[in-house]
Amino acid sequence: MHSFMGGGLFCAMVGNILLVVSMATDYWMQYRLSGSFAHQGLWRYCMSGKCYMQTDSIAYWNATRAFMIMSGMSCFAGIIAGILSFAHFSAFERFNRSFAAGIMFFISTLFVLLAMAIYTGVTVNFLGKRFGDWRFSWSYILGWVALLMTFFAGIFYMCAYRMHECRRGGGPTR
């Protein structure tokens, strides 16, 4: 049970770090604009060696930003619940922290999936046609890797919960 929780905690911490790096960096998309290379992230775009804040309130950027932030917050809450699941307090007997951590990681996975799907759909259908020579870049890829890490953290914590319930006897409570 502790090995599942340890593996889940490792995946969650790596996933949360990747979420933060993905959100904070400016390499979600690279493209050629007026003969020079440019790149953009969720918060800034850079052209000719200068970076500018994205001040336009475009719905897909706002949705992507919001879902990425909510994903990071739920992953962080899952990490706290995951750390607390190593402690055994009798006051929390009816509240299983490993189950709560697993649910928080799955919620984080859902949020990052929504963010990546929105960004991908708009980029491919709108921006990809606007810029002929473009590609997704490493910040974007880190977002997808973070999705996998938070998903596996949820799987590990659900396995730990199932093992704990089976040891208590009778299988999971309903």
Side-chain angles (χ1 to χ4, degrees):
M1 180 173 93
H2 288 292
S3 60
F4 280 125
M5 290 190 308
L9 199 55
F10 174 76
C11 287
M13 287 182 178
V14 170
N16 208 18
I17 290 169
L18 293 177
L19 280 170
V20 169
V21 170
S22 175
M23 275 189 285
T25 54
D26 301 325
Y27 285 89
W28 279 60
M29 179 181 169
Q30 292 178 322
Y31 49 93
R32 185 181 300 270
L33 187 64
S34 302
S36 64
F37 286 105
H39 56 88
Q40 72 179 26
L42 296 178
W43 311 99
R44 299 185 319 170
Y45 64 95
C46 302
M47 299 182 326
S48 304
K50 291 184 180 180
C51 293
Y52 308 95
M53 293 299 294
Q54 290 188 12
T55 56
D56 298 335
S57 182
I58 299 174
Y60 89 94
W61 272 330
N62 291 340
T64 303
R65 291 173 188 158
F67 283 128
M68 290 295 281
I69 290 169
M70 290 189 303
S71 176
M73 290 170 43
S74 61
C75 187
F76 184 74
I79 289 171
I80 298 300
I83 290 170
L84 290 176
S85 69
F86 282 103
H88 299 287
F89 298 116
S90 61
F92 294 116
E93 191 61 37
R94 292 182 48 84
F95 176 71
N96 193 301
R97 290 171 299 283
S98 61
F99 181 77
I103 293 298
M104 292 308 294
F105 295 135
F106 285 137
I107 290 170
S108 177
T109 301
L110 175 67
F111 284 149
V112 75
L113 177 65
L114 289 171
M116 300 305 288
I118 290 168
Y119 188 85
T120 302
V122 171
T123 300
V124 168
N125 291 319
F126 174 68
L127 295 177
K129 294 175 182 170
R130 183 174 159 204
F131 304 114
D133 184 19
W134 69 277
R135 67 176 184 202
F136 291 115
S137 193
W138 60 269
S139 298
Y140 172 82
I141 294 167
L142 287 182
W144 283 109
V145 175
L147 178 136
L148 292 173
M149 296 304 282
T150 57
F151 178 74
F152 285 121
I155 294 289
F156 281 133
Y157 269 93
M158 286 301 163
C159 289
Y161 168 71
R162 293 286 296 181
M163 286 185 68
H164 175 71
E165 288 299 314
C166 289
R167 282 189 187 160
R168 266 185 22 184
T173 59
R174 292 174 206 238

